Amino acid sequence: MSQQTAITPTRAQDFPEWYQQVIKGADMAENSEVRGCMVIKPWGYAIWELIQKDLDQRFKDTGHTNAYFPLLIPISYLEKEAEHAEGFATECAVVTHHRLEAQKDEATGKTHMIPTGELTEPFVIRPTSETVIGAAFARWTSSYRDLPLKINQWCNVMRWEMRPRIFLRTAEFLWQEGHTAHETREEAIEETLTMHKVYEEFQRDVLAIPTIPGEKTEAERFPGAEQTYTVEAMVQDRKAIQAGTSHFLGQNFSKSQNICFAGRDNTQQFAWTSSWGVSTRMIGALIMMHSDDDGLVCPPCVAPQQVVIIPVTPKEDTRQAVLDHCEELARTLRAKTFHGQPLRVLVDRRDLGGGAKKWEWIKKGVPVRLEIGPRDLEKGSVCFQRRDQAPNEKTFLPETELADTITDILQNIQDTLLNKAVAFRDAHIRPASTLRELEENFSGEGDADWLQVPWDGSPEEEEELAKRLRISIRCIPLGELGHGDPAPCILTGRLTERRVLWARSY
Amino acid sequence: MSQQTAITPTRAQDFPEWYQQVIKGADMAENSEVRGCMVIKPWGYAIWELIQKDLDQRFKDTGHTNAYFPLLIPISYLEKEAEHAEGFATECAVVTHHRLEAQKDEATGKTHMIPTGELTEPFVIRPTSETVIGAAFARWTSSYRDLPLKINQWCNVMRWEMRPRIFLRTAEFLWQEGHTAHETREEAIEETLTMHKVYEEFQRDVLAIPTIPGEKTEAERFPGAEQTYTVEAMVQDRKAIQAGTSHFLGQNFSKSQNICFAGRDNTQQFAWTSSWGVSTRMIGALIMMHSDDDGLVCPPCVAPQQVVIIPVTPKEDTRQAVLDHCEELARTLRAKTFHGQPLRVLVDRRDLGGGAKKWEWIKKGVPVRLEIGPRDLEKGSVCFQRRDQAPNEKTFLPETELADTITDILQNIQDTLLNKAVAFRDAHIRPASTLRELEENFSGEGDADWLQVPWDGSPEEEEELAKRLRISIRCIPLGELGHGDPAPCILTGRLTERRVLWARSY
C-alpha cells in the first residue's frame, strides 16, 4: 500500500478520474439518481458546515444579517430582467403544475402519478435571487434612512447543467448570496470590494487556497453587472477555478426592479446595489488544491476531525487500559482550542484492523493521526503521523509534548499547505508577450501554465480567441500582476498597461 | 400609548389578525408575491438561527450527523410510495421543463419567457425526503455493520398549501428532517422516542413552550408510519399547534425502498426506520404562546438581542459621555454568558426619539431594556425594564448590581414565561365523560378548552366526529394524562383506560 497509492488512478494518470475517486475514497458525496444533483454525505457536509460557520461570522462582522427568500421565482420577474440583461441564464427548472394525481393502470396494476393543476403563471426554481430579493428591497425602501440594506441568504439554487461534475458544477448546489442596496455609487463599490476581500482572506486563511483576486473583463462579467470581481484558484492540473464573485450592479437592477428612495435632497433616486456569492464549488477547489495520490488532504481549519486516535489493542488483557487512555488523551486535546474552536478529536473505537483504520483516515484527509498501544502507554508516548507527510513516516513523541504543541502542529500543517499552494501557483504563472506564445502554451492536451499578457482586445475578440484555444481570461488581477509598462496587446498590437491572465478553467 | 396597546387589534378583539400584526410589528416576516411563500426577515430569521444552533447540538449529542440530499424527487419514487401509503400528499410543485426561452412580442415590445425542454420524467420539489433519503440508505446498506444510519438534513420543503398562514402553514418552509435506519425494531422505536423527548425538552427549556407529549391515533398518523409521536402546544386562543413529530416507520419504507442488509445470522433483512422533524412553524407557536397586546415576547434563549441599551441624550454636551458609557456597559454584559453563549447586547445609537426606540424594542420582544441618561451616569445607575412586565414599569438599579445579576434576570424571565404558559395550559385542559360535554364545549365560536376523554372509537368514527365539530384528537398523552380507570368511551360506550385530548387546532 505504501509503494502503491490509496487512490487509483493517480493525478498524473488521469486527473479528472482521480478527483472522482478522492471524493469516493473520503466518502464526501455521490451522484444521485436525480440528473446532475449530488448527495452531500456527512464527511463532505461537515466541511460545508465549517465553511459556513466561519464565513457567516465574517459576514456578520462586516454588518450583514441573514434572511430567507422564496425558492420560486415568478416568470414575470425574469421577463423584466430579460429586457435588461443579454445572456440571461435560461437553463433552469420550471414549475408548471401544483398537483399529482395517482392513476392505477388496470393492466399492470402499477400506479402512475400524473401532473395536474396547471399554474396560470409558471415559476422557476431560483438560479440566483437577484429578482426576488430585489422585489423585497423595493418594498422595504422608501427613504435614504432605510439604506443600506445588507442581507445574506444561505440556500440551495438550481441551474440545469448539461455537464455536471460533483461539487464543481452540479444542477443543484448550496451557496450563500449576499445582496445589498446603498444610497451612493461609492458605498456600493466599497461593499463589493469589501466582500471580495472577505472571500480572498477566507480562502487563504481557512481553506489554504491562495487565490488571485481580480476583476473580470466585460465579456466575463455577470449579466447586468458594471463590475465583477473574482477570486481565481489554480489547482494541481493548473486549471483555474472561479471560487467566488462579487458584483457591483450599479443601478441596473434597481431600475428594472424599482428600488428607489427619497434622497437627502428629497428627490427620488434609484439605489446602488451589489451581490456576491460562494458555493459548495469551493469544496471542489479544496479537493483539487491539496489532495494527493493517497486521497483527500484537509486543511486543519475545515477538517471535520483534526486528530484521530487509533487504539492499538492486540491483546485482550491490555485492551481496556489502552481505550481508556485514548479517551483521556482525547479529552485533554479537546480542551485546547484552534482558531477559537475546541479541537475536533475522534477516538476510532471500531472493531476493525489498525491498517484499515489508518488508510481510511488518510483517505479522509485527517491532519493528524495518533496510534497508541500498550507499549506507548508504558512509555507515555504516542506514535504521531501527519497527513502532509508520507503515509509511513512516523514520529514517537512524549504525550505531554504532543499535548503542549498540538495547536502549533495544526497551524504548521495549515501553513505548509498554503505555502505549497502559493509556490505551485507562482511557479506556473508566466508573462507572455505574443499571441504565438499563447497558442503554443495552450496547444497540447497536457497541463498548461497561466499566461500574464498585455491585453486590449474587444469583448468579441476575446470571445473568439477564448473559443479557439478553449481558454478564458480569468481576470485582470488587482495589484502589480494586473499592470505593467505600456506593451503591445498580444492580439491588437495596441499599447496597453493592462495585464490579464489567460488560463484553462473548470 | 401605555393606555392603549402597541398592536391593533388586541388578542381579545381578533386573535388571527393580532397574530399577523405582531409579526409585522416585530418585522419578522412578510408574505411574498409568490403564492403562499413568505420572506423571513432578519429578526425572524435570527430566531430561526438560534433555534437551529441549539437543536443541531442536541442532534449531534444524540449521535446524528448532517447531510444534504437533492431538492427534486423523481415521480417514479412517489409511485412506489403511492402503492404502499394511502392518503399520500399530492399537493406539491411539479417541475416539467428545464428551459425558458425569451420571445419578443412584436406588437407590445414586451419579452415573454416560455417553458421549453420538456422532461421525460417530471420531478416534484420535496414535500419531505423519505423517498430520496431512503434510496440513498438502500445504496449505503449491505451489512448490519452499516447500521445504524442516523442522518439529519436542514433544508427547505414545499407543499402547495391552499390556506397559507405565515410561519404556521406556508407553501415553502424551512425545517430539519431526521432519517434513521436500524438493525432491530427495538432500536428504531428507541430512536423515535429519544427524538420525541429531544423535541419536548428543547421546546420547554429553550422556547418556554410546555407541550403535551403523546402519540397520534391511527387516523392522525403520518402515512406509512406504525407510530407517530407528537408534541402539542396550547397557544393563547387555546388552539393546539403540532410543534414536532417523530415517526416509527417499521419496515414499511424499507420494504418499498429496498433498504436491506445481511444480518448477524447472514439472512437478508429489511431495516427498521424512523423520521422526525420540526419546522419554522415553531416560530408561529412561539409568537402565539408568549406575545401580548404590545407585540412579540421573546424568551431570552432565542431572543436575537437579549438586552438593548437606549442612550438618553437630551443635550449635546453630555451625548458622547453617555454613548461611551453605554458601549462600555454593553462590553461588560457581552463578557457574561447565558446558556453557554455570550450575552447578545445592542446599543441603539440611532438618531431617533427615545420613545420610538422603546416601543420598537417592545414590539420586537427584547427581554431587557436599559435606558441610560446623564443623571444615571452620575449616580452609576440604570433604568431597567422587563418585557414580561408592563411597558411603563421601571426600576432603577445600580449598574454593578445589574451586571452581577443580568443572567439571573434573563433566566427569571425565561422561567416566568414557561410557568405562565404551564399555568394557562393546565387551567384549560379538563376531563369530560360524555359526548354532550364535548359538543357543548366546541359548539360556539369562542376559545374552547381541551377535553381529556375516554376514547375507543374507530378511525372512521374519529374522523366523522372530528369533521362534525371541526376538532381533532391531538394525541393520546404519554403519562397519566393519557390513562385512567376504565370508563365508557364517550362515543361507543365501550370501557377503556385510554384518554385522548380533543381540541381545535391550527
Side-chain angles (χ1 to χ4, degrees), chain B residues 372-392:
Chain B
I372 298 182
R375 287 186 55 197
D376 302 304
L377 231 66
E378 287 166 25
K379 290 196 241 164
S381 69
V382 294
C383 171
F384 163 83
Q385 301 184 294
R386 284 170 62 139
R387 181 61 183 88
D388 61 341
Q389 293 174 349
N392 288 327

Side-chain angles (χ1 to χ4, degrees), chain A residues 30-35 37-42 45-46 49 56 60 65-75 77-79 82-83 88 90-102 109-113 115-116 119 122-126 132 135-136 139-140 151 154 156 158 160 162 172 174, chain B residues 30-35 37-42 45-46 49 56 60 65-75 77-79 82-83 88 90-102 109-113 115-116 119 122-126 132 135-136 139-140 151 154 156 158 160 162 172 174:
Chain A
E30 65 186 20
N31 289 311
S32 76
E33 293 173 44
V34 181
R35 217 199 116 283
C37 294
M38 62 182 161
V39 173
I40 308 180
K41 300 181 80 171
Y45 197 80
E49 285 182 290
D56 194 68
K60 284 172 176 157
T65 50
N66 290 329
Y68 188 77
F69 297 84
L71 170 72
L72 298 183
I73 301 178
I75 281 194
Y77 283 21
L78 302 181
E79 288 170 349
E83 289 172 15
F88 189 80
T90 53
E91 289 296 327
C92 47
V94 189
V95 175
T96 55
H97 294 73
H98 69 82
R99 187 179 303 129
L100 288 180
E101 273 176 24
K110 285 201 186 300
T111 302
H112 294 288
M113 303 296 267
T116 62
L119 297 165
F123 296 97
V124 301
I125 297 178
R126 60 183 164 219
V132 75
R139 291 194 295 273
W140 301 349
I151 297 284
W154 291 97
N156 53 345
M158 193 151 213
W160 214 262
M162 286 301 135
E172 183 189 12
L174 304 181
Chain B
E30 65 185 20
N31 290 311
S32 76
E33 292 172 46
V34 182
R35 218 198 116 282
C37 294
M38 61 182 162
V39 172
I40 308 179
K41 299 180 80 172
Y45 197 82
E49 286 182 290
D56 194 69
K60 285 173 176 157
T65 50
N66 290 330
Y68 188 77
F69 298 85
L71 170 72
L72 297 184
I73 300 178
I75 280 193
Y77 284 21
L78 302 180
E79 289 171 349
E83 289 173 14
F88 189 82
T90 54
E91 290 293 328
C92 48
V94 189
V95 175
T96 56
H97 294 72
H98 69 82
R99 188 179 302 129
L100 288 180
E101 272 176 24
K110 284 200 187 300
T111 301
H112 293 288
M113 302 297 269
T116 62
L119 298 166
F123 296 96
V124 300
I125 296 177
R126 61 182 164 221
V132 75
R139 291 194 296 272
W140 300 349
I151 298 284
W154 291 97
N156 52 344
M158 193 151 214
W160 214 261
M162 285 300 135
E172 184 189 11
L174 303 182

Side-chain angles (χ1 to χ4, degrees), chain B residues 143-157:
Chain B
S143 151
Y144 70 90
R145 287 192 189 84
D146 300 320
L147 299 175
L149 289 167
K150 297 172 73 174
I151 298 284
N152 177 62
Q153 168 170 264
W154 291 97
C155 67
N156 52 344
V157 288

Side-chain angles (χ1 to χ4, degrees), chain A residues 401-414:
Chain A
E401 187 185 326
L402 174 89
D404 288 346
T405 57
I406 186 68
T407 54
D408 295 336
I409 292 168
L410 290 172
Q411 188 58 50
N412 183 269
I413 295 173
Q414 183 84 24

